[in-house]
């Protein structure tokens, strides 16, 4: 598995989200991390980003 070279902090900044929200997504998706500087594996980064985009396009889905 390759690395996306994106940290949790960078993903949060890119999508204007608090780091804690990315932590919550990682927890829900069972993605291991140590802190906001953790670089995610490519498949994990894709899963997080797809979850963010899905929630943004369908705000009622997160309720």
């Amino acid at each position: 598995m390759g690395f996306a070279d994106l940290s949790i902090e960078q993903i949060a900044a890119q999508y204007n989200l608090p780091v804690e929200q990315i932590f919550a997504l990682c927890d829900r998706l069972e993605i291991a991390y140590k802190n906001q500087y953790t670089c995610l594996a490519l498949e994990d980064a894709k899963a997080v980003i797809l979850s963010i985009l899905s929630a943004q396009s369908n705000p009622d889905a997160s309720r």
Side-chain angles (χ1 to χ4, degrees):
M1 188 181 308
F3 280 85
D5 203 26
L6 283 173
S7 69
I8 289 173
E9 181 178 56
Q10 290 170 316
I11 294 171
Q14 184 173 350
Y15 292 96
N16 286 330
L17 297 171
V19 170
E20 292 77 17
Q21 189 169 344
I22 307 302
F23 288 158
L25 273 174
C26 287
D27 291 341
R28 192 180 87 215
L29 296 169
E30 297 181 355
I31 296 171
Y33 62 91
K34 289 187 179 187
N35 55 41
Q36 69 268 26
Y37 306 113
T38 300
C39 285
L40 299 178
L42 180 59
E43 292 301 317
D44 292 341
K46 284 172 46 178
V48 169
I49 291 168
L50 287 174
S51 291
I52 292 167
L53 293 176
S54 176
Q56 288 177 345
S57 67
N58 188 6
D60 293 331
S62 62
R63 293 183 184 164

